[in-house]
């Protein structure tokens, strides 16, 4: 069985890293690759020992499994072998056209971002792999932009107060941001609507701020549910009181399949101290800050607002390493001795397959 990887368009990450090749070989899967596929993640073709380097078109034509980080363009689907399967992140939650287009073209697809977030599937959870990098990067990007220190310092020239970091949303990204900001010596305050994260926040050294009356639903699979407008207004007022005293705000609050809630209003930003930094990791789903613009950095009243949901792409080597492992662990559930056995009674396979109609 041949697994194909190609150079990603507009993304420095690569779907499979050299380390994974020997593990794929144990499943009787060989790798064919486009020349330079790993270059931007700093993996050279020579690092892929045992892989066959071909033209992009040949990889698409010959592969039984095509693994990409972002979906191929629809024009390229036509080059892919009709019996091949594509593994990528099709984001059907955000892109309503993804599944109908695949079905129309008769392309079998598994979407890594649809793998259920259960204990059994933890090693395949690409959302967690990338969110964790995003939280870490968010603190580093903010710290580099901030015209002030994060830690408290007592120097001969005077004392520096520690910076305050406010984190909105304590999912995977938020928790990693707390840990990173604490390591840099900041004081960290945190909001989340899920009370389940309170202890985790506290164990990382963050202060958990409670807003009464949040809706929580155990049947949402651990995800947050949409809150009432009345609750959000109360929350915004609470957030404002903390935000105007914060040096850095990192927003990560998302509700799966919905627009992100607005938690930081224009008036709040206007009252923040000049030089402060906001990183909006939810910008691709509308953003948590009223002013943020996706993929843009703007400055309002001296406050820098960075709207970026793609921060993991700025750390491509480890991001690729983690994605590659996530894919390998997923393949282990359905590849035996170089043959695909997609058992749809397996919750992980069932969840990830977005075109089950094409498997009957
Ligand atoms: P996410 O990206 O969907 O959301 C980020 C955070 O924003 C969440 O913690 C959410 O509660 C919070 N949020 C939403 N609305 C908010 C509001 N109005 N104010 C403040 N915060 C708000 O979350 P995620 O990081 O993808 O994690 C989603 C869930 O999946 C979590 O319960 C997480 O623990 C769980 N999870 C489970 C596993 C596993 O068991 N394998 C792995 C990873 C994540």
């Amino acid at each position: 069985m041949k697994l194909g990887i190609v150079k990603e368009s507009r993304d420095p990450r690569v779907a499979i890293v050299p380390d994974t090749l020997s593990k794929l070989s144990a499943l009787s899967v060989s790798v064919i690759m486009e020349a330079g596929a790993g270059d931007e993640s700093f993996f050279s073709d020579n690092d892929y020992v045992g892989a066959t380097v071909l033209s992009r078109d040949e990889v698409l034509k010959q592969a039984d499994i095509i693994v990409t980080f972002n979906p191929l363009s629809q024009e390229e689907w036509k080059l892919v072998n009709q019996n091949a399967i594509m593994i990528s992140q099709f984001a059907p939650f955000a892109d309503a056209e993804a599944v109908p287009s695949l079905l129309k073209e008769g392309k079998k697809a598994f979407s890594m971002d649809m793998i259920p977030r259960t204990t059994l599937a933890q090693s395949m959870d690409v959302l967690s792999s990338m969110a964790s990098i995003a939280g870490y990067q968010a603190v580093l990007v903010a710290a580099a932009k901030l015209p002030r220190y994060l830690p408290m310092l007592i120097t001969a020239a005077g004392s520096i107060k520690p910076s305050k970091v406010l984190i909105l949303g304590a999912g995977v990204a938020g928790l990693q941001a707390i840990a990173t900001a604490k390591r840099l010596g900041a004081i960290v305050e945190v909001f989340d609507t899920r009370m389940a994260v309170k202890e985790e926040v506290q164990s990382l050294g963050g202060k958990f701020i409670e807003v009464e009356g949040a809706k929580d639903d155990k049947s949402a699979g651990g995800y947050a549910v949409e809150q009432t407008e009345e609750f959000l207004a109360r929350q915004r007022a609470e957030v404002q009181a903390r935000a105007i005293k914060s040096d850095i705000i990192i927003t990560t609050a998302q509700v799966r399949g919905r627009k992100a809630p607005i938690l930081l209003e224009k008036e709040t930003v206007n009252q923040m101290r000049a030089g402060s930094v906001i990183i909006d990791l939810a910008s691709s789903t509308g953003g948590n800050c009223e002013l943020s613009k996706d993929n843009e950095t703007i400055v309002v009243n001296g406050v820098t607002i960075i709207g970026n949901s793609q921060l993991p792409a700025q750390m491509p080597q480890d991001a690729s390493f983690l994605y590659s492992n996530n894919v390998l662990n997923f393949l282990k559930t359905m590849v035996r001795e170089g043959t695909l056995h997609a058992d749809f009674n397996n919750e992980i396979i069932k969840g990830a397959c977005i075109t089950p109609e094409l498997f009957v």
Side-chain angles (χ1 to χ4, degrees):
M1 175 175 257
K2 288 182 192 163
L3 181 151
I5 53 171
V6 291
K7 208 172 170 62
E8 299 280 325
S9 48
R10 299 184 309 279
D11 198 311
R13 288 167 284 193
V14 61
I16 297 290
V17 302
D19 253 13
T20 308
L21 263 59
S22 59
K23 295 164 193 152
L24 285 169
S25 169
L27 300 175
S28 302
V29 174
S30 59
V31 171
I32 54 176
M33 63 183 285
E34 178 183 6
D39 280 0
E40 288 186 56
S41 287
F42 303 93
F43 299 113
S44 75
D45 292 352
N46 289 336
D47 293 333
Y48 286 87
V49 179
T52 307
V53 179
L54 299 170
S55 70
R56 184 180 182 94
D57 285 8
E58 277 305 314
V59 171
L60 296 180
K61 232 184 273 174
Q62 291 187 23
D64 302 299
I65 305 176
I66 308 254
V67 188
T68 57
F69 197 89
N70 302 294
L72 294 169
S73 69
Q74 288 198 29
E75 294 85 77
E76 287 198 313
W77 292 358
K78 299 194 193 327
L79 298 175
V80 172
N81 186 319
Q82 202 59 24
N83 289 319
I85 62 165
M86 296 196 284
I87 299 182
S88 191
Q89 297 179 87
F90 292 92
F93 263 103
D95 178 6
E97 286 308 305
V99 173
S101 316
L102 286 161
L103 290 177
K104 195 166 143 242
E105 295 292 331
K107 294 294 174 202
K108 298 181 180 132
F110 290 88
S111 200
M112 291 298 292
D113 50 351
M114 294 300 287
I115 289 178
R117 301 184 81 183
T118 57
T119 310
L120 262 185
Q122 250 169 357
S123 63
M124 309 160 209
D125 186 353
V126 65
L127 297 177
S128 288
S129 299
M130 296 306 128
S132 180
I133 298 178
Y136 169 78
Q137 279 276 316
V139 175
L140 299 190
V141 169
K145 199 86 191 152
L146 189 73
R148 307 188 272 275
Y149 265 120
L150 259 75
M152 182 184 81
L153 284 183
I154 298 171
T155 80
S159 301
I160 304 278
K161 283 192 195 148
S163 283
K164 285 194 170 155
V165 177
L166 179 66
I167 295 174
L168 306 180
V172 180
L175 291 172
Q176 190 57 255
I178 300 169
T180 309
K182 284 302 288 182
R183 281 184 208 125
L184 290 176
I187 295 172
V188 182
E189 294 186 323
V190 185
F191 277 88
D192 201 298
T193 46
R194 292 182 303 121
M195 288 305 287
V197 293
K198 182 177 174 179
E199 268 178 39
E200 279 178 90
V201 168
Q202 289 171 338
S203 71
L204 289 168
K207 182 173 178 195
F208 189 79
I209 317 287
E210 278 177 45
V211 183
E212 294 279 300
K215 252 198 294 174
D216 214 346
D217 185 355
K218 298 264 177 308
S219 66
Y223 284 99
V225 290
E226 210 166 24
Q227 303 295 323
T228 61
E229 196 36 54
E230 188 255 324
F231 171 84
L232 285 173
R234 212 144 25 88
Q235 188 187 17
R236 279 193 288 266
E238 287 278 348
V239 167
Q240 181 174 46
R242 317 270 165 179
I244 57 181
K245 294 187 190 134
S246 300
D247 301 282
I248 291 174
I249 304 181
I250 293 170
T251 75
T252 78
Q254 308 216 53
V255 180
R256 199 175 203 210
R258 312 237 168 209
K259 192 179 167 303
I262 296 283
L263 303 175
L264 267 183
E265 294 178 301
K266 192 173 159 195
E267 296 85 84
T268 309
V269 176
N270 285 340
Q271 291 179 57
M272 287 174 70
R273 190 173 159 204
S276 300
V277 182
I278 298 170
I279 310 270
D280 194 338
L281 296 182
S283 61
S284 66
T285 51
N288 296 135
C289 175
E290 193 181 354
L291 297 173
S292 61
K293 292 194 165 57
D294 193 27
N295 295 325
E296 279 187 40
T297 297
I298 56 169
V299 180
V300 179
N301 275 344
V303 175
T304 302
I305 307 172
I306 300 175
N308 195 338
S309 298
Q310 291 303 323
L311 282 180
Q314 293 186 18
M315 222 173 83
Q317 203 168 56
D318 275 349
S320 301
F321 172 78
L322 294 174
Y323 184 70
S324 187
N325 279 340
N326 291 147
V327 171
L328 171 73
N329 289 324
F330 174 57
L331 286 174
K332 280 181 183 169
T333 65
M334 55 180 192
V335 176
R336 272 181 253 324
E337 288 172 14
T339 317
L340 188 79
H341 299 278
D343 174 4
F344 285 90
N345 291 317
N346 178 328
E347 287 300 318
I348 296 172
I349 295 169
K350 190 172 152 205
C353 185
I354 53 173
T355 59
E357 297 87 336
L358 303 178
F359 282 83
V360 286

